[in-house]
Amino acid sequence: MNKIFNIKNLVRSNVQKLKPYSSARDEYKANGTDMVFLDANENPFKNGVNRYPDPQQRDLKLALAKLKNLKPEQVLLGNGSDEVLDLIFRAFCEPQIDNILTLPPTYGMYNVLAGINNVENKEVLLTVDYELDIKSILNAVTETTKLIFICNPNNPTGNAFDARSIKTLIENFNGIVVIDEAYIDFSSYESWINFLDIYPNIIIIQTLSKAYGMAGVRLGVCYASAEIITVLNKIKPPYNVNELTQQKALERVLKVDEVFTEVETIIIEREKLIENLQEVSFIETIFETETNFILVKLDNATKRYHQLLEKGIVIRNRTNQPLCENTLRFTVGTEQENEKLIKALQALDN
Ligand SMILES: *Cc1c(COP(=O)(O)O)cnc(C)c1O
């Protein structure tokens, strides 16, 4: 990394000049006294959601910051990780000029968002054993490479990358390394949140969609330096996280022990599932996993995918992803659901 990492050198010039939109609720912040709110053209009759939500989601950010041992100024929330990722593109990548690096096989949204934002996505494949190809990644970096996306643990392969490789990328890249930790709660690897104070050029993305069991509320979380969060705050839609989501998510974060208990159960189920998959003769490889899913390589992914569908089980066919020929991805379900899956596979195995 550049000895003098300066976020200002990376931010698009139009964003640099922007002042954030100031909403009614930004201009007057409730301070506990009983005020009469006639500032936002709301309907005054109470129904639980007649008022605009807090545009800065203070209570929820405070709870998350406490949980992660960070300052609230290091947290940005979005309508799912997808919105957070989109904000990162829009803050740092000049359409048709800048480029990003992604490392397939990986999460498909990075490429979709690159397309939407008209930003070139330079793809550097993982190695055949799904590790980071550090040399090729660094070779692919150009003057206009702004972001490298690392999904860790990686979807769809399931493995996590060793810290030393990621460190090498962070330390040898002048842009920002975005580390998507959607599955970190299922992993034995350390979160990169713990390195935010050491590296100013990393952004960590997490989500309430997986371990927290709240895919339906759409809450994505971005952890970064206060400087990076300030930039992202400038371009986020003012009310991007609705009131119901803020309430539900806060309840869940305040009872995080329940999340951890569910995660433990899912991990136990995952290990059971792996044992049972080993008995299925047409499964050739079960890839190591640090997530709540298992990628397997088998004799004929598309055939097996359709056979399972006929038995009422929906899984993900990943055969068309690079380096993933004849692979299927199984999400770990409840004990009963996993038993159903195993029974179905056994019935096909004769
Ligand atoms: C599921 C997933 C997400 C979650 O996206 P949301 O928009 O927060 O639901 C993010 N990144 C990866 C790699 C995922 O697999």
Side-chain angles (χ1 to χ4, degrees), residues 84-155:
V84 174
L85 290 163
D86 187 52
L87 291 174
I88 295 169
F89 269 94
R90 290 200 272 154
F92 298 108
C93 298
E94 201 60 50
Q96 293 186 290
I97 294 174
D98 292 330
N99 66 69
I100 61 148
L101 298 191
T102 62
L103 317 172
T106 194
Y107 187 47
M109 274 311 285
Y110 314 138
N111 187 51
V112 169
L113 290 168
I116 291 170
N117 287 289
N118 205 5
V119 170
E120 185 194 356
N121 174 19
K122 297 178 66 165
E123 300 189 319
V124 181
L125 289 187
L126 297 178
T127 65
V128 286
D129 48 357
Y130 298 152
E131 296 298 338
L132 297 174
D133 185 347
I134 298 295
K135 224 173 164 185
S136 303
I137 296 169
L138 290 174
N139 274 336
V141 170
T142 67
E143 283 282 295
T144 50
T145 304
K146 292 294 189 70
L147 309 167
I148 300 177
F149 287 87
I150 302 178
C151 187
N152 192 54
N154 190 38
N155 179 8

Coordinates of all heavy atoms in Angstrom, one line a residue, residues 84-155:
V84 N -25.6 -1.6 0.0 CA -24.3 -1.2 0.5 C -23.2 -1.3 -0.5 O -22.4 -0.4 -0.8 CB -23.9 -2.0 1.8 CG1 -22.5 -1.6 2.2 CG2 -24.9 -1.7 2.9
L85 N -23.2 -2.4 -1.2 CA -22.2 -2.7 -2.3 C -22.4 -1.7 -3.4 O -21.4 -1.1 -3.9 CB -22.4 -4.1 -2.8 CG -21.9 -5.2 -1.9 CD1 -22.5 -6.6 -2.4 CD2 -20.4 -5.3 -1.8
D86 N -23.6 -1.4 -3.7 CA -23.9 -0.4 -4.8 C -23.4 1.0 -4.4 O -22.8 1.7 -5.2 CB -25.4 -0.3 -5.1 CG -25.7 0.5 -6.3 OD1 -25.1 0.3 -7.3 OD2 -26.6 1.4 -6.2
L87 N -23.6 1.4 -3.1 CA -23.1 2.7 -2.7 C -21.5 2.7 -2.8 O -21.0 3.8 -3.2 CB -23.5 2.9 -1.2 CG -24.9 3.1 -0.9 CD1 -25.2 3.2 0.6 CD2 -25.4 4.4 -1.6
I88 N -20.9 1.6 -2.5 CA -19.4 1.6 -2.6 C -19.0 1.8 -4.1 O -18.1 2.6 -4.4 CB -18.9 0.3 -2.1 CG1 -19.1 0.2 -0.6 CG2 -17.4 0.1 -2.4 CD1 -18.9 -1.2 0.0
F89 N -19.7 1.2 -5.0 CA -19.4 1.4 -6.5 C -19.6 2.9 -6.8 O -18.7 3.5 -7.4 CB -20.3 0.6 -7.3 CG -19.8 -0.7 -7.7 CD1 -20.2 -1.8 -7.0 CD2 -19.0 -0.9 -8.8 CE1 -19.7 -3.1 -7.3 CE2 -18.5 -2.2 -9.1 CZ -18.9 -3.3 -8.4
R90 N -20.7 3.5 -6.3 CA -21.0 4.8 -6.7 C -20.1 5.9 -6.1 O -19.9 7.0 -6.6 CB -22.5 5.1 -6.4 CG -23.4 4.3 -7.4 CD -24.7 4.9 -7.4 NE -25.6 4.3 -6.4 CZ -26.6 5.0 -5.9 NH1 -26.9 6.2 -6.3 NH2 -27.4 4.4 -5.0
A91 N -19.5 5.5 -4.9 CA -18.7 6.5 -4.3 C -17.3 6.5 -4.9 O -16.6 7.5 -5.0 CB -18.5 6.1 -2.8
F92 N -16.8 5.3 -5.4 CA -15.4 5.2 -5.7 C -15.1 5.0 -7.2 O -14.0 5.2 -7.7 CB -14.7 4.1 -4.9 CG -14.8 4.4 -3.4 CD1 -15.6 3.7 -2.6 CD2 -14.0 5.4 -2.9 CE1 -15.6 3.9 -1.2 CE2 -14.0 5.7 -1.5 CZ -14.9 5.0 -0.7
C93 N -16.1 4.5 -8.0 CA -15.8 4.1 -9.3 C -16.4 5.0 -10.4 O -17.6 5.1 -10.5 CB -16.3 2.6 -9.6 SG -15.5 1.5 -8.5
E94 N -15.5 5.7 -11.1 CA -16.0 6.5 -12.2 C -16.4 5.6 -13.4 O -15.6 4.9 -13.9 CB -14.8 7.4 -12.6 CG -15.2 8.7 -13.4 CD -16.1 9.6 -12.6 OE1 -15.8 9.9 -11.4 OE2 -17.1 10.0 -13.2
P95 N -17.7 5.7 -13.8 CA -18.1 4.8 -14.9 C -17.2 5.0 -16.1 O -16.8 6.1 -16.5 CB -19.5 5.3 -15.2 CG -20.0 5.9 -13.9 CD -18.8 6.5 -13.3
Q96 N -16.9 3.9 -16.8 CA -16.2 3.8 -18.0 C -14.7 4.2 -17.9 O -14.0 4.2 -18.9 CB -16.8 4.6 -19.1 CG -18.2 4.0 -19.6 CD -18.8 4.8 -20.7 OE1 -19.2 5.9 -20.6 NE2 -18.8 4.1 -21.9
I97 N -14.3 4.5 -16.7 CA -12.9 4.9 -16.5 C -12.2 3.9 -15.5 O -11.2 3.3 -15.8 CB -12.8 6.3 -16.0 CG1 -13.2 7.3 -17.1 CG2 -11.3 6.6 -15.6 CD1 -13.3 8.8 -16.6
D98 N -12.8 3.8 -14.3 CA -12.2 3.0 -13.3 C -12.6 1.5 -13.5 O -13.5 1.2 -14.3 CB -12.7 3.4 -11.9 CG -12.1 4.8 -11.5 OD1 -11.0 5.1 -12.0 OD2 -12.8 5.5 -10.8
N99 N -11.9 0.6 -12.8 CA -12.2 -0.8 -12.9 C -12.2 -1.4 -11.5 O -11.6 -0.8 -10.5 CB -11.4 -1.6 -13.9 CG -9.9 -1.6 -13.4 OD1 -9.6 -2.3 -12.4 ND2 -9.0 -0.9 -14.2
I100 N -12.8 -2.6 -11.4 CA -12.7 -3.3 -10.1 C -12.2 -4.7 -10.4 O -12.2 -5.2 -11.6 CB -14.1 -3.5 -9.4 CG1 -15.1 -4.2 -10.4 CG2 -14.7 -2.1 -9.1 CD1 -16.1 -5.0 -9.7
L101 N -11.7 -5.4 -9.4 CA -11.3 -6.8 -9.5 C -12.3 -7.7 -8.7 O -12.6 -7.4 -7.6 CB -9.9 -7.1 -9.0 CG -8.7 -6.4 -9.7 CD1 -7.4 -7.0 -9.2 CD2 -8.8 -6.5 -11.2
T102 N -12.7 -8.8 -9.3 CA -13.5 -9.8 -8.6 C -12.8 -11.2 -8.8 O -12.0 -11.3 -9.8 CB -15.0 -9.9 -8.9 OG1 -15.1 -10.2 -10.3 CG2 -15.7 -8.6 -8.7
L103 N -13.0 -12.1 -8.0 CA -12.3 -13.4 -7.9 C -13.2 -14.6 -8.1 O -13.4 -15.3 -7.1 CB -11.5 -13.4 -6.6 CG -10.8 -12.1 -6.3 CD1 -10.2 -12.1 -4.9 CD2 -9.7 -11.6 -7.3
P104 N -13.7 -14.9 -9.3 CA -14.6 -16.0 -9.4 C -14.0 -17.3 -9.2 O -12.8 -17.4 -9.4 CB -15.1 -15.8 -10.9 CG -14.7 -14.5 -11.3 CD -13.5 -14.1 -10.5
P105 N -14.7 -18.3 -8.8 CA -16.2 -18.3 -8.6 C -16.5 -17.5 -7.3 O -16.0 -17.9 -6.3 CB -16.6 -19.8 -8.5 CG -15.3 -20.5 -8.0 CD -14.2 -19.7 -8.6
T106 N -17.4 -16.6 -7.4 CA -17.8 -15.8 -6.2 C -19.2 -15.3 -6.3 O -19.9 -15.6 -7.3 CB -16.8 -14.7 -6.0 OG1 -16.9 -14.1 -4.7 CG2 -16.9 -13.5 -7.0
Y107 N -19.6 -14.5 -5.4 CA -21.0 -13.9 -5.3 C -21.3 -13.1 -6.6 O -20.5 -12.3 -7.0 CB -21.0 -13.0 -4.1 CG -22.4 -12.5 -3.7 CD1 -23.5 -13.3 -3.7 CD2 -22.6 -11.2 -3.4 CE1 -24.8 -12.8 -3.3 CE2 -23.8 -10.6 -3.0 CZ -24.9 -11.5 -3.0 OH -26.1 -11.0 -2.6
G108 N -22.4 -13.4 -7.2 CA -22.7 -12.8 -8.5 C -23.0 -11.4 -8.5 O -22.9 -10.7 -9.5
M109 N -23.4 -10.8 -7.3 CA -23.9 -9.4 -7.3 C -22.7 -8.4 -7.7 O -23.0 -7.3 -8.1 CB -24.5 -9.0 -6.0 CG -26.0 -9.3 -5.8 SD -27.0 -8.8 -7.2 CE -27.1 -7.0 -6.8
Y110 N -21.5 -8.8 -7.4 CA -20.4 -7.8 -7.7 C -20.4 -7.5 -9.2 O -20.3 -6.3 -9.6 CB -19.0 -8.3 -7.2 CG -19.0 -9.0 -5.9 CD1 -18.3 -10.1 -5.6 CD2 -19.6 -8.4 -4.8 CE1 -18.2 -10.7 -4.4 CE2 -19.6 -9.0 -3.5 CZ -18.9 -10.1 -3.3 OH -18.8 -10.7 -2.1
N111 N -20.5 -8.5 -9.9 CA -20.5 -8.4 -11.4 C -21.8 -7.6 -11.9 O -21.7 -6.8 -12.8 CB -20.4 -9.7 -12.1 CG -20.2 -9.6 -13.6 OD1 -19.3 -8.8 -14.0 ND2 -21.0 -10.3 -14.3
V112 N -22.9 -8.0 -11.3 CA -24.2 -7.3 -11.7 C -24.0 -5.8 -11.4 O -24.4 -5.0 -12.2 CB -25.4 -7.9 -10.9 CG1 -26.6 -7.1 -11.1 CG2 -25.6 -9.3 -11.3
L113 N -23.5 -5.5 -10.2 CA -23.4 -4.0 -9.8 C -22.4 -3.3 -10.7 O -22.6 -2.1 -11.0 CB -23.1 -3.9 -8.3 CG -24.2 -4.3 -7.4 CD1 -23.7 -4.5 -6.0 CD2 -25.4 -3.3 -7.5
A114 N -21.3 -4.0 -11.1 CA -20.4 -3.4 -12.0 C -21.0 -3.1 -13.3 O -20.9 -2.0 -13.8 CB -19.2 -4.4 -12.2
G115 N -21.9 -4.0 -13.8 CA -22.6 -3.7 -15.0 C -23.5 -2.5 -14.9 O -23.6 -1.7 -15.7
I116 N -24.3 -2.5 -13.8 CA -25.3 -1.4 -13.6 C -24.6 -0.1 -13.5 O -25.0 0.9 -14.1 CB -26.1 -1.7 -12.3 CG1 -27.0 -2.9 -12.4 CG2 -26.8 -0.4 -11.9 CD1 -27.6 -3.3 -11.1
N117 N -23.4 -0.1 -12.9 CA -22.7 1.2 -12.7 C -21.7 1.5 -13.9 O -20.9 2.5 -13.8 CB -21.9 1.1 -11.4 CG -22.9 1.3 -10.2 OD1 -23.4 2.4 -10.0 ND2 -23.1 0.2 -9.5
N118 N -21.7 0.6 -14.9 CA -20.9 0.8 -16.1 C -19.4 0.9 -15.7 O -18.7 1.8 -16.1 CB -21.3 2.1 -16.8 CG -21.0 2.0 -18.3 OD1 -20.5 1.0 -18.8 ND2 -21.2 3.1 -19.0
V119 N -19.0 0.0 -14.9 CA -17.6 -0.1 -14.4 C -17.0 -1.4 -14.8 O -17.7 -2.5 -14.6 CB -17.6 0.1 -12.8 CG1 -16.2 -0.3 -12.3 CG2 -18.0 1.5 -12.4
E120 N -15.9 -1.4 -15.4 CA -15.3 -2.7 -15.9 C -14.9 -3.6 -14.7 O -14.3 -3.2 -13.7 CB -14.0 -2.4 -16.7 CG -13.4 -3.7 -17.3 CD -12.0 -3.5 -17.8 OE1 -11.4 -2.4 -17.7 OE2 -11.4 -4.5 -18.2
N121 N -15.4 -4.9 -14.8 CA -15.0 -5.9 -13.8 C -14.0 -6.8 -14.4 O -14.2 -7.6 -15.3 CB -16.3 -6.7 -13.5 CG -16.0 -7.9 -12.6 OD1 -15.0 -7.9 -11.9 ND2 -16.9 -8.8 -12.5
K122 N -12.8 -6.7 -13.8 CA -11.7 -7.6 -14.3 C -11.7 -8.8 -13.4 O -11.5 -8.7 -12.1 CB -10.3 -6.8 -14.2 CG -10.3 -5.6 -15.1 CD -9.0 -4.9 -15.0 CE -7.8 -5.7 -15.5 NZ -6.6 -4.9 -15.7
E123 N -11.9 -9.9 -14.0 CA -12.0 -11.2 -13.2 C -10.7 -11.9 -13.2 O -10.1 -12.2 -14.2 CB -13.1 -12.1 -13.8 CG -14.5 -11.4 -13.8 CD -15.6 -12.3 -14.2 OE1 -15.4 -13.1 -15.1 OE2 -16.7 -12.2 -13.6
V124 N -10.3 -12.3 -12.0 CA -9.1 -13.1 -11.8 C -9.6 -14.4 -11.0 O -10.0 -14.3 -9.9 CB -8.0 -12.4 -10.9 CG1 -6.8 -13.3 -10.8 CG2 -7.6 -11.1 -11.5
L125 N -9.5 -15.5 -11.7 CA -10.0 -16.7 -11.1 C -9.2 -17.1 -9.9 O -8.0 -16.8 -9.7 CB -9.9 -17.9 -12.1 CG -10.8 -17.9 -13.4 CD1 -10.7 -19.2 -14.1 CD2 -12.3 -17.7 -12.9
L126 N -9.9 -17.8 -9.0 CA -9.3 -18.5 -7.9 C -8.4 -19.6 -8.5 O -8.6 -20.0 -9.6 CB -10.3 -19.1 -6.9 CG -11.2 -18.1 -6.2 CD1 -12.2 -18.8 -5.3 CD2 -10.4 -17.1 -5.4
T127 N -7.5 -20.2 -7.7 CA -6.8 -21.3 -8.1 C -7.7 -22.5 -8.2 O -8.9 -22.4 -7.7 CB -5.6 -21.7 -7.2 OG1 -6.2 -22.1 -5.9 CG2 -4.7 -20.5 -7.0
V128 N -7.3 -23.7 -8.7 CA -8.2 -24.8 -8.9 C -8.6 -25.3 -7.5 O -9.7 -25.9 -7.4 CB -7.6 -26.0 -9.7 CG1 -7.5 -25.6 -11.1 CG2 -6.2 -26.3 -9.1
D129 N -7.8 -25.1 -6.5 CA -8.3 -25.5 -5.1 C -9.0 -24.3 -4.4 O -9.0 -24.3 -3.1 CB -7.2 -26.2 -4.3 CG -5.9 -25.4 -4.4 OD1 -5.9 -24.4 -5.0 OD2 -4.9 -25.8 -3.7
Y130 N -9.5 -23.4 -5.1 CA -10.3 -22.3 -4.6 C -9.5 -21.4 -3.6 O -10.1 -20.8 -2.7 CB -11.5 -22.8 -3.9 CG -12.5 -23.6 -4.8 CD1 -13.3 -24.6 -4.3 CD2 -12.6 -23.3 -6.1 CE1 -14.2 -25.3 -5.1 CE2 -13.5 -24.0 -7.0 CZ -14.3 -25.0 -6.4 OH -15.1 -25.7 -7.2
E131 N -8.2 -21.2 -3.9 CA -7.5 -20.2 -3.1 C -7.2 -18.9 -3.9 O -7.4 -18.9 -5.1 CB -6.1 -20.8 -2.6 CG -6.2 -22.1 -1.7 CD -6.9 -21.8 -0.4 OE1 -7.0 -20.6 0.0 OE2 -7.5 -22.7 0.2
L132 N -6.8 -17.9 -3.2 CA -6.5 -16.6 -3.8 C -5.2 -16.8 -4.6 O -4.2 -17.3 -4.1 CB -6.3 -15.5 -2.8 CG -7.6 -15.2 -2.0 CD1 -7.2 -14.2 -0.9 CD2 -8.7 -14.6 -2.8
D133 N -5.2 -16.3 -5.9 CA -4.1 -16.3 -6.7 C -3.4 -14.9 -6.6 O -3.6 -14.1 -7.5 CB -4.5 -16.6 -8.2 CG -3.3 -16.8 -9.1 OD1 -2.1 -16.4 -8.7 OD2 -3.5 -17.2 -10.2
I134 N -2.7 -14.8 -5.5 CA -2.2 -13.4 -5.2 C -1.4 -12.8 -6.3 O -1.6 -11.6 -6.6 CB -1.3 -13.5 -3.9 CG1 -2.1 -14.0 -2.7 CG2 -0.7 -12.2 -3.6 CD1 -3.2 -13.1 -2.3
K135 N -0.5 -13.5 -6.9 CA 0.4 -13.0 -7.9 C -0.5 -12.4 -9.1 O -0.3 -11.3 -9.6 CB 1.3 -14.1 -8.4 CG 2.7 -13.6 -8.6 CD 3.6 -14.8 -8.9 CE 4.9 -14.4 -9.5 NZ 5.6 -15.7 -9.9
S136 N -1.4 -13.2 -9.6 CA -2.3 -12.8 -10.7 C -3.2 -11.7 -10.3 O -3.4 -10.8 -11.2 CB -3.1 -14.0 -11.2 OG -2.3 -15.1 -11.5
I137 N -3.6 -11.6 -9.1 CA -4.5 -10.5 -8.7 C -3.7 -9.2 -8.7 O -4.1 -8.2 -9.3 CB -5.1 -10.8 -7.3 CG1 -6.0 -12.0 -7.2 CG2 -5.8 -9.5 -6.8 CD1 -6.4 -12.5 -5.8
L138 N -2.5 -9.2 -8.1 CA -1.7 -8.0 -8.1 C -1.3 -7.6 -9.5 O -1.2 -6.4 -9.8 CB -0.5 -8.2 -7.2 CG -0.9 -8.3 -5.7 CD1 0.3 -8.6 -4.8 CD2 -1.6 -7.0 -5.2
N139 N -1.0 -8.6 -10.4 CA -0.7 -8.3 -11.8 C -1.8 -7.7 -12.5 O -1.6 -6.9 -13.5 CB -0.3 -9.6 -12.5 CG 1.2 -9.9 -12.3 OD1 2.0 -9.0 -12.0 ND2 1.5 -11.2 -12.4
A140 N -3.0 -8.0 -12.1 CA -4.2 -7.4 -12.8 C -4.5 -6.0 -12.4 O -5.3 -5.3 -13.1 CB -5.4 -8.3 -12.6
V141 N -4.0 -5.6 -11.3 CA -4.3 -4.2 -10.8 C -3.7 -3.2 -11.8 O -2.5 -3.3 -12.2 CB -3.7 -4.0 -9.4 CG1 -3.7 -2.5 -9.0 CG2 -4.4 -4.9 -8.4
T142 N -4.5 -2.1 -12.1 CA -4.0 -1.0 -13.0 C -4.1 0.3 -12.2 O -4.6 0.3 -11.1 CB -4.8 -0.9 -14.3 OG1 -6.2 -0.5 -13.9 CG2 -4.9 -2.2 -15.0
E143 N -3.7 1.4 -12.8 CA -3.8 2.7 -12.2 C -5.2 3.0 -11.8 O -5.4 3.8 -10.8 CB -3.4 3.7 -13.2 CG -1.9 3.9 -13.5 CD -1.2 4.6 -12.3 OE1 -1.5 5.8 -12.2 OE2 -0.4 4.0 -11.6
T144 N -6.2 2.5 -12.5 CA -7.6 2.9 -12.3 C -8.3 1.8 -11.6 O -9.6 1.8 -11.5 CB -8.3 3.2 -13.6 OG1 -8.0 2.1 -14.5 CG2 -7.8 4.5 -14.2
T145 N -7.7 0.8 -11.0 CA -8.4 -0.2 -10.2 C -8.7 0.4 -8.8 O -7.8 0.7 -8.1 CB -7.5 -1.5 -10.0 OG1 -7.1 -2.0 -11.3 CG2 -8.3 -2.6 -9.3
K146 N -10.0 0.5 -8.5 CA -10.4 1.1 -7.3 C -10.7 0.1 -6.2 O -10.4 0.4 -5.0 CB -11.6 2.0 -7.5 CG -11.3 3.2 -8.4 CD -10.4 4.2 -7.7 CE -10.2 5.5 -8.4 NZ -11.4 6.3 -8.3
L147 N -11.3 -1.0 -6.5 CA -11.8 -1.9 -5.5 C -11.4 -3.4 -5.9 O -11.4 -3.7 -7.0 CB -13.3 -1.8 -5.4 CG -14.0 -0.5 -5.3 CD1 -15.5 -0.6 -5.5 CD2 -13.7 0.1 -3.9
I148 N -11.1 -4.1 -4.8 CA -10.9 -5.6 -5.0 C -12.0 -6.2 -4.1 O -12.0 -5.9 -2.9 CB -9.5 -6.1 -4.6 CG1 -8.5 -5.5 -5.5 CG2 -9.5 -7.6 -4.7 CD1 -7.0 -5.9 -5.1
F149 N -12.8 -7.1 -4.6 CA -13.9 -7.7 -3.8 C -13.4 -9.1 -3.4 O -13.2 -10.0 -4.3 CB -15.2 -7.8 -4.6 CG -15.9 -6.5 -4.7 CD1 -15.6 -5.6 -5.8 CD2 -16.8 -6.1 -3.8 CE1 -16.2 -4.4 -5.9 CE2 -17.4 -4.8 -3.9 CZ -17.1 -4.0 -5.0
I150 N -13.4 -9.3 -2.1 CA -13.1 -10.7 -1.6 C -14.2 -11.1 -0.8 O -14.6 -10.5 0.2 CB -11.8 -10.7 -0.7 CG1 -10.6 -10.1 -1.5 CG2 -11.5 -12.1 -0.2 CD1 -9.3 -10.0 -0.6
C151 N -14.8 -12.3 -1.2 CA -15.9 -12.8 -0.4 C -15.3 -13.9 0.5 O -14.7 -14.8 0.1 CB -16.9 -13.5 -1.4 SG -18.4 -14.1 -0.6
N152 N -15.4 -13.6 1.8 CA -14.7 -14.4 2.8 C -15.5 -14.6 4.1 O -15.7 -13.7 4.9 CB -13.3 -13.7 3.2 CG -12.4 -14.6 3.9 OD1 -12.1 -15.7 3.5 ND2 -12.0 -14.1 5.1
P153 N -15.9 -15.9 4.3 CA -15.8 -17.1 3.5 C -16.5 -16.9 2.1 O -17.4 -16.1 2.0 CB -16.6 -18.2 4.3 CG -16.6 -17.6 5.7 CD -16.6 -16.2 5.6
N154 N -16.1 -17.7 1.2 CA -16.5 -17.4 -0.2 C -17.8 -18.2 -0.5 O -17.9 -19.4 -0.2 CB -15.4 -17.8 -1.2 CG -15.7 -17.4 -2.6 OD1 -16.2 -16.3 -2.8 ND2 -15.3 -18.2 -3.5
N155 N -18.7 -17.5 -1.3 CA -19.8 -18.1 -1.8 C -19.6 -18.2 -3.3 O -19.2 -17.2 -3.9 CB -21.1 -17.2 -1.6 CG -22.3 -17.7 -2.1 OD1 -22.4 -18.8 -2.7 ND2 -23.4 -16.9 -2.1

